[in-house]
Amino acid sequence: MDTSRRSSVTSFAVVAAPVLMALYGGIRLLEGSREPGPGWLVGHGLMLLGLLLFGPVLAALGRGRGAVGRAAAGVAFAGLAASLGQIGIDLYVGAVAVDKADQQRLFDVVQSRPGVLPAFYSVGPMLFYVGLLALLVIAATGAGRVLRWWSPVLMLAGTVLTAADLAFIPVAAGCYLVALAPLGGFGAARPVAA
């Protein structure tokens, strides 16, 4: 992929990924969206698309950042894969469950399998946020930095808010959007003077 096309994809993903995440978070707040039905499927479908769009963001953040950047990107991509697995499970359960009780039964069946909870619901997805934070710190420090000091701070704040209560997902998504905006050419997209 040539540089201008890669830049266009990154610019789109920097905006679309957090916006889709915010839409998912907003839908989650609606009555009936936490049980099988259209709210569950639409919300989780939007989150799936949002997560997929974090792929180009991670690639752009890791590009040209040396071994440490590649390692951080690897951690973030592993966490992204786990998060995609979680959303895939959630979509499947929401699509086949007939009611809230059946949904819980199906989750119990899937999550009781050895390794599923840590791989897809706790440790695995956490790697996405750890890797993304490391990439933002790398991109905001040293020579050739393209992000400001507040980018990793905003990302961390959004992640902590979401960890405290999933109702804050739209706020966290706004933090991610502002934190990543310079990477997409919105604001200070050029290297920042040291």
Side-chain angles (χ1 to χ4, degrees):
M1 185 181 299
D2 68 19
T3 305
S4 65
R5 174 139 168 76
R6 186 168 43 212
S7 177
S8 295
V9 169
T10 300
S11 294
F12 174 76
V14 157
V15 173
V19 166
L20 290 167
M21 183 181 179
L23 289 171
Y24 161 73
I27 289 172
R28 258 189 113 262
L29 299 174
L30 300 175
E31 188 176 332
S33 65
R34 296 187 198 175
E35 56 192 52
W40 179 276
L41 295 174
V42 170
H44 283 77
L46 291 170
M47 187 62 170
L48 175 70
L49 293 173
L51 286 171
L52 288 171
L53 285 170
F54 270 104
V57 172
L58 297 177
L61 284 167
R63 195 174 296 113
R65 303 280 176 210
V68 174
R70 286 191 300 276
V75 169
F77 274 113
L80 181 59
S83 297
L84 288 167
Q86 177 185 354
I87 290 294
I89 292 168
D90 291 356
L91 275 167
Y92 169 76
V93 168
V96 300
V98 294
D99 58 21
K100 184 72 173 168
D102 191 38
Q103 179 185 35
Q104 188 57 54
R105 183 190 63 77
L106 289 168
F107 272 127
D108 289 343
V109 168
V110 171
Q111 293 175 356
S112 68
R113 303 272 189 239
V116 168
L117 279 175
F120 298 110
Y121 286 89
S122 59
V123 178
M126 183 69 70
L127 296 176
F128 169 67
Y129 299 100
V130 169
L132 179 57
L133 179 59
L135 285 167
L136 289 174
V137 168
I138 293 165
T141 59
R145 60 191 169 141
V146 294
L147 298 177
R148 301 281 185 185
W149 64 268
W150 41 261
S151 288
V153 172
L154 279 172
M155 191 272 174
L156 180 60
T159 302
V160 169
L161 282 171
T162 301
D165 190 335
L166 293 178
F168 288 119
I169 290 173
V171 176
C175 290
Y176 295 173
L177 177 62
V178 174
L180 294 169
L183 181 68
F186 310 101
R190 62 199 178 290
V192 179

